[in-house]
Amino acid sequence: RAAGDDSNTNGATPEGVLNAGETELTAARKSLESVRSGELLMDAVDLVEAELADQEQYAIKLASGAHTRLAKRVPNVQLLGLEPLAYLMRCLRIIKQPELEQSLLVLPFHYVTRLLKLLIEMSQQSKYDMELCCRCSVFLLRCHFQQIVTARAFIQEIQDLQSAVRSNITSLRTLVGTNLAGLRHMKRVHDEDN
């Protein structure tokens, strides 16, 4: 090979080599982002569970009649002024959709079980994004199916998720049907005017 010859013996150009390096860098960046997103989810699960437990203990103290000498409860400032489950939903929405599955795969199994319980609770309340809750729940159930079936601890939770999804799907079908009927009526009125 001559000293000024920049061609490779396999026919690849220096730009091709650079592109391969960029691809590796992009893959590394994506995996780093998914790890960061997974850590965000783990931190969110810890915060949400701690806040829910604190709220429950405060409610028990109030119910026991100790509310006269009980100071007003101050919510956790790390939740950014949101309810605990709303904060978890915010964290799920922050994660880019293409990286969401990778972020869920990064979670250890004990976090998966805790996150599933919270997602099911969010699904039952139906004031949170039902589609996102179901997508995450179903993905986690598919990935960890053998462990969940072996543990048999999630049978009731899975049944709760099924009933929550069915009831929410029924209400969404009703909403879509109403909207579709309204659109058909508007089309009829428009066609009659023309």
Side-chain angles (χ1 to χ4, degrees):
R1 215 166 106 178
D5 189 14
D6 285 339
S7 65
N8 294 332
T9 55
N10 60 4
T13 62
E15 291 84 19
V17 173
L18 184 63
N19 286 338
E22 286 176 0
T23 304
E24 290 175 8
L25 183 63
T26 304
R29 188 177 311 132
K30 284 185 180 180
S31 64
L32 181 63
E33 289 176 12
S34 63
V35 169
R36 284 183 184 159
S37 299
E39 289 175 354
L40 172 74
L41 283 177
M42 288 188 273
D43 291 341
V45 167
D46 290 337
L47 276 172
V48 167
E49 285 182 339
E51 184 68 12
L52 289 174
D54 191 38
Q55 287 177 353
E56 187 177 328
Q57 288 176 355
Y58 188 79
I60 290 171
K61 288 178 184 177
L62 279 179
S64 68
H67 64 278
T68 56
R69 56 186 181 269
L70 196 62
K72 184 178 177 184
R73 186 181 170 285
V74 179
N76 191 339
V77 294
Q78 291 178 322
L79 296 177
L80 307 174
L82 299 171
E83 295 178 15
L85 294 177
Y87 177 76
L88 180 61
M89 179 57 65
R90 179 186 177 276
C91 290
L92 286 170
R93 285 183 179 157
I94 286 174
I95 300 170
K96 297 174 186 172
Q97 291 304 316
E99 296 172 12
L100 182 61
E101 291 180 354
Q102 290 297 322
S103 301
L104 292 172
L105 283 174
V106 169
L107 298 175
F109 184 69
H110 67 281
Y111 274 99
V112 168
T113 57
R114 294 163 58 192
L115 179 60
L116 269 172
K117 288 178 183 178
L118 293 171
L119 287 169
I120 291 169
E121 186 176 339
M122 291 165 62
S123 300
Q124 290 171 339
Q125 292 185 11
S126 70
K127 63 181 180 179
Y128 301 104
D129 187 358
M130 184 66 183
E131 179 187 350
L132 184 58
C133 289
C134 287
R135 188 179 332 135
C136 293
S137 299
V138 169
F139 180 77
L140 289 171
L141 286 171
R142 282 183 181 165
C143 291
H144 300 280
F145 184 74
Q146 288 298 337
Q147 292 171 313
I148 290 171
V149 169
T150 304
R152 295 184 182 258
F154 270 94
I155 294 174
Q156 184 60 43
E157 283 85 356
I158 292 171
Q159 291 172 346
D160 293 343
L161 177 64
Q162 180 184 14
S163 63
V165 167
R166 282 190 177 161
S167 66
N168 283 322
I169 285 176
T170 302
S171 66
L172 289 174
R173 280 184 187 159
T174 304
L175 178 66
V176 168
T178 303
N179 289 344
L180 189 58
L183 286 172
R184 286 181 182 150
H185 175 71
M186 288 173 60
K187 183 179 184 283
R188 254 192 324 267
V189 169
H190 181 332
D191 289 345
E192 289 173 2
D193 288 345
N194 291 336

